[in-house]
Amino acid sequence: MSKHRLGLFLAAAGAICFGIGGTLSNILFTRITVSPQWVVSARMLFSGLLILGYLLCRRENIFSIWHQKRDAFGVLLFGIFGVLFAQATFLQAVFYGNAAVATILQSLGPALIVIILSVALRQVPRRNEAIAILISLIGVFLVVTNGDLHQLDVPVQAFVWGLISVIGVAAYTLLPRPLLARHSSLIVVGWGLLIGGIVANFVAPVWQLPKDFGGVELLLVIGVVLIGTMGAYACYVASLNYLQPAIVSMLGLFEPLTATILAVLFLGVQFRGFQIIGVILALFSIILINFPLPKKHRSL
């Protein structure tokens, strides 16, 4: 297998793993009474420990990120206001709705990032970015209303938390940029997960197991940790060694696609006419916002 194909496989696998993780969390919520906060605590704490433990086994200096105050402060911000905020709000949307809707709402994240960067850099978005923002808004509108302006087709709490999770996606993407210039991605992500997991445990300690927590639930949590978090991040980071970030981001469409398919197959979620069109538009906007244009077409 060529390096390019390997990169494509890893990027797609990472996005699929993220989609599986959201669905496994959704199944856990339907089986027992468990709070999203507890799932966040377990997911982040154990994933962070496993990633950092793996790096230690490779004899990498995982503590280098704490040598400078700016990096230490940056990773604390990333762990709490980036990773923890993104994970907590996303799982709240899953809890009140389902993994498919939550992931589709998160597809507004790239659009928000483009808007933030355009304002910060005082630049007009590229033509395809502006069109992608419009398409993503239309797509999400159709998913949550099915084309009816008078009612939401998803629970209000799921819609609200899904929109808040978009801010988490933007924070998760933008906050670690200075750190990634000086440290490996896995070190940054590992510490971010561990820090967020430690903070989350002050709210919902992992040792306080939910009622009726049994073997199946344990397997679901292990799946969320190993597949939906560790596997997802490992594949994503590894793909960056072979592909440009724009291509990796484009292949991120497999996350909402996977979550949607699994929700239909295993959770009994049904999408109606305009909602199906909305899903397609949301997925298309992910491709468009990462599609490179010739330099002469890079402004409106």
Side-chain angles (χ1 to χ4, degrees), residues 101-109 133-147 152-154 159 162-163 166 274-275 277-283 285:
V101 170
T103 310
I104 291 167
L105 286 170
Q106 269 200 335
S107 67
L108 288 172
I133 292 171
L134 178 61
I135 291 175
S136 65
L137 290 173
I138 294 173
V140 168
F141 167 77
L142 292 177
V143 168
V144 300
T145 65
N146 193 39
L152 290 177
D153 234 45
V154 300
F159 177 60
L163 289 182
V166 175
F274 282 111
Q275 287 182 305
I277 296 174
V279 171
I280 295 172
L281 290 176
L283 296 176
S285 71

Side-chain angles (χ1 to χ4, degrees), residues 183-200:
H183 305 278
S184 76
S185 300
L186 276 181
I187 289 178
V188 174
V189 169
W191 278 113
L193 286 167
L194 181 58
I195 291 167
I198 292 172
V199 173

Side-chain angles (χ1 to χ4, degrees), residues 8-26:
L8 292 174
F9 170 78
L10 289 171
I16 291 171
C17 285
F18 277 122
I20 292 173
T23 304
L24 292 176
S25 299
N26 204 156

Side-chain angles (χ1 to χ4, degrees), residues 33-291:
T33 303
V34 55
S35 69
Q37 293 86 356
W38 187 89
V39 178
V40 170
S41 295
R43 177 179 190 173
M44 296 185 65
L45 181 67
F46 293 121
S47 298
L49 287 172
L50 288 171
I51 289 175
L52 293 176
Y54 164 74
L55 294 174
L56 277 176
C57 291
R58 292 181 54 184
R59 298 185 178 181
E60 294 197 29
N61 183 10
I62 64 171
F63 299 103
S64 61
I65 200 168
W66 298 100
H67 291 170
Q68 295 186 16
K69 288 183 179 180
R70 62 173 180 174
D71 289 348
F73 181 69
V75 77
L76 286 171
L77 284 179
F78 173 57
I80 298 171
F81 298 103
V83 186
L84 177 58
F85 186 79
Q87 294 285 337
T89 52
F90 171 73
L91 283 179
Q92 286 282 356
V94 174
F95 179 77
Y96 288 110
N98 58 69
V101 170
T103 310
I104 291 167
L105 286 170
Q106 269 200 335
S107 67
L108 288 172
L112 180 59
I113 292 170
V114 169
I115 293 172
I116 292 173
L117 292 178
S118 296
V119 172
L121 300 176
R122 298 182 181 179
Q123 293 179 352
V124 177
R126 295 180 300 170
R127 182 179 305 168
N128 61 318
E129 291 173 339
I131 296 173
I133 292 171
L134 178 61
I135 291 175
S136 65
L137 290 173
I138 294 173
V140 168
F141 167 77
L142 292 177
V143 168
V144 300
T145 65
N146 193 39
D148 187 348
L149 289 170
H150 301 289
Q151 66 177 9
L152 290 177
D153 234 45
V154 300
V156 175
Q157 296 98 321
F159 177 60
V160 172
W161 281 111
L163 289 182
I164 296 174
S165 74
V166 175
I167 302 174
V169 172
Y172 174 84
T173 304
L174 298 175
L175 284 176
R177 292 180 74 183
L179 294 170
L180 293 173
R182 297 182 292 275
H183 305 278
S184 76
S185 300
L186 276 181
I187 289 178
V188 174
V189 169
W191 278 113
L193 286 167
L194 181 58
I195 291 167
I198 292 172
V199 173
N201 269 269
F202 283 99
V203 178
V206 293
W207 55 86
Q208 295 181 359
L209 295 179
K211 186 180 179 181
D212 299 325
F213 188 88
V216 175
E217 288 72 33
L218 177 60
L219 289 176
L220 288 170
V221 172
I222 291 174
V224 170
V225 171
L226 296 182
I227 300 174
T229 310
M230 271 198 68
Y233 283 119
C235 289
Y236 173 80
V237 171
S239 70
L240 293 172
N241 294 321
Y242 308 105
L243 299 175
Q244 294 295 322
I247 298 177
V248 176
S249 298
M250 194 181 302
L251 291 171
L253 68 89
F254 280 100
E255 180 182 354
L257 183 61
T258 300
T260 301
I261 293 173
L262 293 178
V264 171
L265 292 177
F266 298 106
L267 298 172
V269 175
Q270 295 182 347
F271 290 99
R272 296 186 290 165
F274 282 111
Q275 287 182 305
I276 295 174
I277 296 174
V279 171
I280 295 172
L281 290 176
L283 296 176
F284 178 68
S285 71
I286 297 174
I287 298 175
L288 185 60
I289 207 165
N290 291 290
F291 194 81

